[in-house]
Structure formats: structure tokens, C-alpha cells
Amino acid sequence: MSDKKPISSVNDFVVRFANVNGSGSASANEMFARAILRHGVPVSPRNIFPSNIQGLPTWYEVRVTEDGHLGARGGVDLMVAMNPQTWDKDVAGIEPGGYLFYDSTKPMPSTKFRDDITVMGVPLTAITNSTYTDPRQRQLFKNIIYLGALSALLDMDPKLIEQLIGEQYKGKEKLLSSNVHALHLGRDWALQNLKCPLGLRIKKSDKVGDRIFIEGNSAAALGAVYGGATVCAWYPITPSSSVAEAFTAHCKKYRHDPKTGQAKYAIVQGEDELASIGIVIGASWNGARAFTATSGPGISLMTEFIGLSYFAEIPAVIMNIQRAGPSTGMPTRTQQCDIIACAYASHGDTKHVLLFPEDPAEAFEFAAAAFDLAERLQTTIFLMLDLDIGMNHRLCRPLKWDDAKQYDRGKVMTAEMLEEGRDFGRYLDVDGDGIPYRTYPGTHPTKGSYFTRGTSRDRYARYSEEGSVYADNMQRLVRKFETAQDLVPRPLQANAERPTKYGVIYFGSTSPAMDEAIGLLEARGHQLDRLRIRAFPFHSSVASFLAEHDFVYVVEQNRDSQLRQLIVNENGIDPVRLVPIVHYDGTPITARYIAKAIGDHQDHLKVTPLRKAVS
Amino acid sequence: MTYIAKPKFHHPGLKKNDLGYTHRDYEGKISTLCAGCGHDSITASIIEACYELSIEPHRVAKISGIGCSSKTPDYFLGNSHGFNSVHGRMPSVLTGANLANRDLIYLGVSGDGDSASIGFGQFAHSIRRGVNMTYIVENNGVYGLTKGQFSATADRGSKSKKGVTNTDNAIDLVAIALQLGATFVARSFSGDKSQLVPLIAAAIRHKGASFIDVISPCIAFNNHAGSTKSFDYVREHNDAVNRLDVLVGRDPIAVDYAPGTVQVVEQHDGSKLALRKIDADYDPHDRLGAQTFLAKHAAKGQIVTGLLYVDPDAEDMHAHLNTVETPLNTLEADTLCPGSSVLDKINASLR
């Protein structure tokens, strides 16, 4: 053992569990995170899993964060190494002075350990083998036993964990008691054989407040329920499948007619993504609120229909839970890499509305708002989540809903309006906002019908290949997109304590890491104004922010700085003034990464102040 | 598609149906298809069927993909909403529209290029789901808009206008529809209006996935010697199995299987199909028999026409999904949104 002092920290450390996919560890690991929350201490967990069902490595990381930092931190203080395959890498990733927890049933050569960390071996296999005969029980309870041992090592209150087990196995007395027994098997062994607690400890606090703990995909699905979606068509794809699955579960609970038991919704698992978006467009054309959920490869398949939605002006909501591309890429790793693909999806001149929620609470709000926007603007709305928000639990403010809210169905001409003699031209810009009126099929016996098509037509929906007619229509679509600027969520700006000529732009799941990075940068003496973009088209305040700063960093999780490209393209700004800060290895961006990248660039600017035009 | 609207003049003496509509009320724009195109005959049959059924034209949604056939919805039911979607993806758009409002009548018009190639999957899955629709394929075995390439329904050994021999096997959409569980399957010939009109009418009244494959010779690219979709070839090889009429609100006519007699098929809504069978052994309730019958005659190089299969007790997609009777597109926040009190409970469960 070296002289390296063991890390000592209360309510502020990172625990990482290294497991084998399919070993049943997920529920025990999640229970660990929830148990810390019950102590009143915020956590930020992340599931790092392979695109495989069984046998490959998986990790679950819990950031314990008294200060409430919800981004990934980087580094590991306590490694629970349960996967021999990844042992070397796992041990190497522990911070100096950190801790290693492992199954000591089989002796390990000393070369497999480091001398600057504290090692705690628990003979988990031996304990389970002596207690259980069933192989599956041995596997599953091993996870609960290490949870029990960790509770002793971290000084956690076992009653709070028992409470969670009670909630999970409510009504299943046998499972409840056997899990509690396993918990205490591990806890008692640790208390009797190891020095408990460690330097890392959980101390009861009150920092969680009324916040909720929810995955972004589930929150978005709930937003679809509250936003009035009645048709969902989808095709399974990681990491978006849980959106449709959650929507199904929510609908079963809240959307059945109490008298007849009939469903006030329709959910279809399409044969592919093309059918899914086709169903959404057909339903929306006919006046229902409809959506699909997918990921990058699905977006690629849907683009032809997205072009139709844009040109024929049919509402549609697409929830894109982004993963690492291109092609199949890394299906279970996170990125923000579909920005350009979605903003300009399909051939020809197109522009689409994108919404960028930062957490599950906004995923809920934006999902509900997406249906209003889709109908108001009669176009496709993309809700741009990513795996990091979508499939991980996040602490966020409680979800809120105003019961007085009515759905904005947009400009729909009714039979009464037609009877009044209103001039109905399907693509007629009567209000100057670029948004025409539409009618639903079946509205009126003799008025208001029209033919929807992807080919060019005039203001009255009459097929036309006249150049001037086509250009007139395309210009109106530009006006409509300009109208969208004031309908979508506006950017949020936060200024530094002191005036600064430097700014940073970021969006979506980068938000919590960025919030934390600002503190780290201030500690290095760097002041930055912040602008969190929440939607495309960009509000005019984005251009103002760019004009007010000499350099603006654009932080995003893709290789090519796609948001920066979009900003340059849409604002006509000198690209040199926009400095890309990119992270794209499939893991969530961390505060440390952002602070180092921006801090180094800022230091560089200070050293050579005249060289403002840096690459 | 056309710029040209038909004159709106109605002769005061035109015959009217039960709703007071004339044939003219079921027409659309002037066709821009080639003169003599079989598709125009199908258009005329759709108009006739809707007139005879006294359908309110605006209560029909007509949806198509891309191609010659998919242009035709512009030429009928001018007061209906139409949707010319993307190539081969009519079925998904129609499925979505049907989910949104189950009260309308859905007419899907497609072609062999549309349904048997890029849209083969969507054709199959819409049938499999039992979408309540009338799915008509205007089948000419050739790509007309792109001037004469083979489609997937072109028979092996047939020749293109340029003299190229088709070396691929043909897809028989009727056989596939039967296998997929379509509850109404028929085949007809665009030139045989007396057979096609009642078939379309019966399909519209059927509650479930109705599929009609209509052989429709392409006058420009598939009406030559060597083609198996030419007028001459089809007339020579047409083996009609039955004749049918639609009788609404009248007593059913009892029939048996004897040649030349009439068989009555009762549909879910009580309307009756009176079938006059030509083939003594044919049973339109026997899916397996229909498949065998088709295969047997296909081996002889014959085209079987008529109502090949119908399930009078069919259920549609909405029944499978157990959706409410009220069209989903009319539901608003007061019935769809669980409200803030429920959300408070959800929040509480997430702590």
C-alpha cells in the first residue's frame, strides 16, 4: 500500500458497478441509487450498457452529489468490480486514493491490484453458494448481498433500503423477505469483517426536496398523454423503444373509457419506421394528434415522409432519442448527432422545427407542447432527446400541468366557417404568418375538400408546375418558419457575475454538465455568459448573443459541431467567432471536460490576446 | 392529375340516388391518363359503385401512392379529400387516417408498381391488421409513368414493348392477400364493369380489409402481343367464377353451389351480397379453397375473376385495438388529459 491517503468524502463521490449484461444486477444497482436519494442526497446515475442482451460488459455509475450536480463527473471513487472480463480496465479507472470492492471468493494475484487504492474483498459467491441452491437465486441475490455490504461500507441506513424493497415487492411477501434477508447477509458480513464505514460516506441530508426521479423517455411519453396524442405508431429501436412502451403503459392506466373499457388511443407497432411515420402523417392529416419515437437510423428511413410533411404541411411529432451514429454507430451510446439530419431532413429545400429539452421535466413540457406546435404550424416537430436523458433516471422538478389549458388545434376551417362563405384556399396565407387553413376530411358536402400531394400546387391546392406558383409556395413556407421562431421555447440566458466578451452556447443533455463547468471555469478565473438554446428555428436573441460577444463556445456531443454549423448557416456569422467544443465518444459529456476545453482555450487567448482568430 | 375541372352543368333530368345525388356528384377532374387506359374504366366503376350505394361523397377519404393508378383519385369524388402520398406507402397513410376517424369510408388506390414492389410490405401489413378499407390495385404489370419497365406482377416470360423478356416470377397479390388474412378478396378486369361495380360496392360495405386486384391493361406500354396483361390476352384467359349484385335493405336471396344459381353472403352490417356462381364447386367462404382454386387456374395460365373470398363476420383494426366508437380526432383535452391531480400522484410516486 502506498502513502496515498484514501479519499474521504461525504455525499460527494462516484460509485461505478461493473457487471455482466444479463446478470440481473440492474435492479440492485438502481435500488442503490434510490436508497441514497431516500437519504435526502441527490444522485445522478448513468447506465452504460452494450447493444447486446447477454454476456457483454455493462456499467452502472452513480454520482452522489450533495451539491446537486446532475451531469457526469468523470472518474470513479469506488469501483464495484463484478466483471472479470473488464477487471484490468475497471481497476485502472479508479481515482488515486479510491476504493475497490470485489468478490474475493477466488484468490486474485497481487499484480491485479493497485497499491494506491483501498481493496475490500467480500466472498460473495461463497456466501450465495452456501445460502442458496438455485443457480438463478445465487446470481440474483449476489447483487442484493453486495448492496447490503455497500450499505455498511458507506454508512447507509438499512431501514431506508428495506423500505424500497418493500415498495418494490409490495404484495409479494416471499420475495420481500428473501431480499431483505440477502441485504442483511451482505451487510452483516461487511460489518463483521471489514472496516466500516469507509472514507466515502452517505449522511442524511435534505437536498432532494420535492424533485422527482424519472427517465426522459418516460416523461416524454407522459407529455404525449397530456398533450393529447391519440395515435402512436412506432418501430422498436434503441434507445427510443421505452417512449412507446411508457406511452402504452400510461394510456392503459389513464385513457380507457370507464364505462365501456374502450381505449381513447390507438398504438400500432409498425412494420418499420416508414410505416410508422406514414401512419402518423395519415392520422394527423385526418385531425388526430399523432407521434412516433425513433432514433437516428429511423430518422434516415423516415426522411421521405418528413419531406412530405413539410411540403404538404401535415402535422407530425417525432421524438428522436439520439444515439451515436453514423449508420448503426454505437446503438447504446449517447450523442447529439442528428441535429443537421433533422433540421434539414429530406431532399429539396426543407427546414424543420427542433426542440431541445434539457431534462425529463422539459421533455414532458416540450412533448406536450410539440402537439400544439405541430398543429399550429402544420409541420413536423422533432423532440430531440438523447440516450443520456432518455434512458437514465434524472432528478428534476415535479411535472406540472395547467388544467385550464386547451389544445391549440391551429387553423382548422370548420363546416360553419365554410358555410359563412370564408374563402378556403388550402395554401392561402390569409393572416400573413405563412400558416394556411386546413380542413379535416369529411367536413362539408360541397366545400373545403382538397387534394393533398407532395407535388407542387397553387394556393388552392390545384396541381401546378408553374415556376412562379412553386416559388410563391416556397416563400410562404419560409414565412411560416419565421413565424415559428416566436412560437417555440426561447433560449435562456445567464450572465456571468462580471461583464465578459466570451459566451457559451449549449443545449439539451449537456445542460447539467455545463452548469457545473461554469463554476469550475470561474475558479480558473474565466467568466462566461451562457445561452441555452431550446429550439430551432433560432430566436433573434441568439443573433444578439453572438453579436455581444467576441468569442462564443458551442458545446455539443458530436464530432462535427452540428449546432455550430446550423448557427453559422442560419445567422450568417463568421465561423471563426464560434469555437467548437465537442465530445463524441459515446459517453455523456462531463463538467471536467468542458471546463478543461474552454479553460485551455481561454488561457490561450490570454497568452496571445491579439490572436483572436483561432481555429 | 389535371388542371382542368369538369364543367359543373348538370342536366336536370339526370337520375338521382337515394340521397339525391347524380353521377356527376361523384365525378372528379378530367383524367390526364392515356385515352383508353383501363384505369379510367376503374374510375368509372368506382363512381358507379358509390352512386349506387348512395354514399355521401365527402364522407370518403381517397388515398393513393405514386404512379398512374395513384393519380386516379383526382378523377372521382371531387368533393372528397384526397391524398397522393409517397410511392408505395398509401397503406400506412390510410391506416393512420382510419385510426383518426373510423367514421369515414377509406378508399385506397394503388398500382402494381406501388403495391407489389416498394409498397409490398405496407400492402401486406395493412391487410394483416384488418384496416377497414377498400384497397384497389390497378394492375397493368408495367411502369407506365416511366415508360414501360416491368413491374413485379408482370408474368415470367412476358415481353416488354421494347421486346425484352421478363425473367422474374410474378407476384400474385390476390394469393398473397388471401394468405395474409384479408377478409374480402376479389379480382376483376377493368373492362368488365358489370362485374367490377358490384365488387367495389361490396368491398366498400365490408367491414375489414377488402382487397380487389383489377387487371387494367396499359394502353401505351402493355397492350401488345406477348404481354399477358393485354386486352386480348385477358379476354381469352378470363375465367369468371361468379357474378354478384349488392342488395341494400332487401331480403337476402338464398343460393347454393350449383352452376348458374345465386348465393347470398351476409355482411357485418346486414347488407347482402347475391352471388351467381359459374363454377359449381366454388365456395367464397373457404379461404384455403380459394387459394387452391387460384393456384390451379394459375397453372393453366388462366386469370380467375370474381369474389374469391369473404368473411361476413370480419372484424376490423379498431375492434382489434378496442378503440372507442367516437372518432379519435374529435377527442379534446377534457377527455384525453388526466389532469393536474393525477400528475401530482405521478410525481409522488417518483420520489
Side-chain angles (χ1 to χ4, degrees), chain A residues 237-240 293-300 319-323 338:
Chain A
I237 181 170
T238 302
S240 77
T294 189
S295 190
I299 296 294
S300 295
M319 299 185 187
N320 179 13
I321 321 303
Q322 298 165 91
R323 67 189 210 187
D338 300 338

Side-chain angles (χ1 to χ4, degrees), chain B residues 120 123 152-153 170-177 187 211 213 294-295 298:
Chain B
F120 195 43
F123 154 74
T153 64
I171 289 173
D172 184 343
L173 291 170
V174 162
I176 301 288
R187 174 141 56 204
F211 177 70
D213 181 39
L294 268 180

Side-chain angles (χ1 to χ4, degrees), chain A residues 471-491:
Chain A
D472 174 67
N473 192 40
M474 292 297 280
Q475 279 305 310
R476 184 182 51 75
L477 288 168
V478 170
R479 281 200 299 281
K480 186 165 84 165
F481 201 66
E482 287 166 355
T483 299
Q485 282 183 23
D486 291 319
L487 297 177
V488 298
R490 293 190 177 199

Side-chain angles (χ1 to χ4, degrees), chain A residues 229-271:
Chain A
T230 52
V231 175
C232 169
W234 66 296
Y235 186 71
I237 181 170
T238 302
S240 77
S241 298
S242 57
V243 174
E245 287 163 355
F247 183 73
T248 305
H250 294 316
C251 284
K252 281 183 177 171
K253 207 165 180 180
Y254 304 117
R255 282 278 190 80
H256 277 266
D257 187 312
K259 291 177 185 168
T260 63
Q262 291 178 316
K264 289 184 276 189
Y265 62 91
I267 301 168
V268 175
Q269 183 181 315
E271 58 269 30

Side-chain angles (χ1 to χ4, degrees), chain A residues 34 37-38 167 209-214 222 225-232 250 254-257 260-272 274-289 301 304-305 308 312 314 364 397-403 405-407 409 439-455 461-466, chain B residues 1-3 8 21 25 29 56-64 66 70-102 104 106 118-119 121-126 128-129 317-318 321-326 328-351:
Chain A
R34 287 180 181 277
L37 270 183
R38 292 293 172 98
E167 290 169 15
D210 68 345
R211 283 184 288 178
I212 61 170
F213 194 55
I214 185 173
L222 202 55
V225 172
Y226 275 74
T230 52
V231 175
C232 169
H250 294 316
Y254 304 117
R255 282 278 190 80
H256 277 266
D257 187 312
T260 63
Q262 291 178 316
K264 289 184 276 189
Y265 62 91
I267 301 168
V268 175
Q269 183 181 315
E271 58 269 30
D272 51 37
L274 289 77
S276 300
I277 186 66
I279 289 170
V280 167
I281 284 175
S284 300
W285 172 74
N286 213 1
R289 295 193 147 193
L301 288 168
E304 185 186 16
F305 259 130
L308 180 74
I314 303 163
F364 171 81
R397 63 186 190 281
L399 310 180
K400 284 186 181 171
W401 186 257
D402 178 3
D403 287 330
K405 180 175 170 47
Q406 294 295 311
Y407 299 142
R409 308 304 300 263
T439 54
Y440 298 153
T443 295
H444 192 281
T446 56
K447 300 174 183 174
S449 68
Y450 64 95
F451 212 92
T452 300
R453 51 167 64 91
T455 37
R462 295 173 299 215
Y463 173 67
S464 170
E465 292 180 4
E466 287 287 332
Chain B
M1 289 169 223
T2 179
Y3 296 90
K8 292 190 176 177
Y21 289 115
D25 296 312
K29 294 189 175 68
E56 292 178 281
H58 74 293
R59 302 298 294 172
V60 176
K62 47 187 187 177
I63 300 168
S64 61
I66 295 289
S70 291
K71 291 165 70 170
T72 62
D74 219 9
Y75 312 145
F76 58 82
L77 301 177
N79 282 322
S80 298
H81 278 63
F83 196 142
N84 201 186
S85 62
V86 295
H87 196 203
R89 266 58 64 75
M90 172 276 284
S92 64
V93 175
L94 189 151
T95 301
N98 186 296
L99 288 172
N101 184 357
R102 61 191 298 173
L104 299 184
Y106 293 92
I118 188 170
Q122 295 220 340
F123 154 74
H125 288 275
S126 65
R128 180 174 73 89
R129 292 190 181 101
M317 176 178 59
H318 279 282
L321 295 172
N322 190 33
T323 45
V324 290
E325 297 297 325
T326 312
L328 294 176
N329 68 352
T330 62
L331 303 179
E332 287 293 340
D334 54 348
T335 110
L336 293 176
C337 183
S340 61
S341 60
V342 168
L343 200 55
D344 290 344
K345 287 178 188 166
I346 292 171
N347 282 324
S349 72
L350 296 169
R351 294 188 176 112

Side-chain angles (χ1 to χ4, degrees), chain B residues 197-334:
Chain B
V197 171
L199 275 177
I200 293 171
I204 288 172
R205 297 198 69 86
H206 179 75
K207 190 173 184 179
S210 302
F211 177 70
I212 308 175
D213 181 39
V214 188
I215 306 299
S216 177
C218 173
I219 201 76
F221 295 103
N222 207 8
N223 194 30
H224 51 274
S227 165
T228 53
K229 299 288 188 295
S230 68
F231 280 100
D232 290 344
Y233 184 91
V234 173
R235 279 201 194 98
E236 285 167 13
H237 294 80
N238 183 3
D239 179 12
V241 293
N242 47 34
R243 288 281 187 271
L244 72 166
D245 295 297
V246 177
L247 310 173
V248 180
R250 294 169 65 175
D251 291 337
I253 301 167
V255 293
D256 59 22
Y257 290 128
T261 58
V262 176
Q263 178 187 13
V264 175
V265 178
E266 182 173 349
Q267 299 217 75
H268 71 280
D269 63 354
S271 65
K272 312 292 181 188
L273 306 182
L275 311 179
R276 181 176 296 136
K277 293 179 66 174
I278 290 174
D279 192 311
D281 299 326
Y282 199 81
D283 175 6
H285 296 126
D286 178 2
R287 185 184 295 276
L288 197 58
Q291 290 170 313
T292 308
F293 190 83
L294 268 180
K296 195 171 78 178
H297 286 269
K300 292 179 187 172
Q302 295 175 340
I303 300 168
V304 177
T305 65
L307 176 60
L308 295 162
Y309 177 76
V310 63
D311 175 1
D313 302 318
E315 286 188 331
D316 79 332
M317 176 178 59
H318 279 282
H320 301 160
L321 295 172
N322 190 33
T323 45
V324 290
E325 297 297 325
T326 312
L328 294 176
N329 68 352
T330 62
L331 303 179
E332 287 293 340
D334 54 348

